Amino acid sequence: MYNPDEDISTADFAKAAKENGCVKADNDKGTFIGNPPDATKYPHVHIFSNGKTNLSVGSGVNQTIGINWDINIQLLNDAYKRFNQGQITGPLKETIEWVLRSAS
């Protein structure tokens, strides 16, 4: 379904997320991409200032999906499978599914 060695840049992910209806927020903790109206609410993708990227579905409930401003498709797929029990919803879910389909 996807190439596990493939990455998508956080910039390309953000662009796809915007096209799917997600919102973005920047603050002193990094960049957040999530569902409207507030990207900092769960679930979201959190891009830290050092380039580390997590998929978060609750306070302390997250998984690293990338480093150096790249999202690893295998890690994204693993996190999506782990958390997709109703925790990932809306445009963010659509974006993740689009990325996973596109990486095939």
Side-chain angles (χ1 to χ4, degrees):
M1 175 181 180
Y2 55 88
N3 178 352
D5 297 323
E6 193 171 331
D7 290 341
I8 181 172
S9 73
T10 53
D12 287 344
F13 183 87
K15 181 180 176 188
K18 183 178 179 182
E19 290 171 0
N20 279 304
C22 289
V23 292
K24 180 178 148 187
D26 294 301
N27 65 28
D28 60 335
K29 296 180 179 162
T31 298
F32 297 83
I33 299 169
N35 296 323
D38 186 353
T40 63
K41 301 291 183 200
Y42 298 107
H44 61 240
V45 169
H46 182 182
I47 306 165
F48 293 86
S49 60
N50 65 2
K52 177 183 170 188
T53 305
N54 285 352
L55 176 61
S56 301
V57 296
S59 180
V61 184
N62 59 70
Q63 186 166 324
T64 299
I65 57 173
I67 58 171
N68 298 326
W69 292 275
D70 282 326
I71 295 172
N72 179 274
I73 298 301
Q74 179 67 54
L75 294 176
L76 177 62
N77 185 63
D78 293 348
Y80 182 70
K81 285 181 177 177
R82 175 181 173 201
F83 295 134
N84 191 27
Q85 310 299 318
Q87 295 125 303
I88 302 172
T89 60
L92 183 61
K93 179 177 179 157
E94 293 170 21
T95 301
I96 292 169
E97 289 175 349
W98 177 86
V99 168
L100 294 175
R101 280 192 311 270
S102 298
S104 59

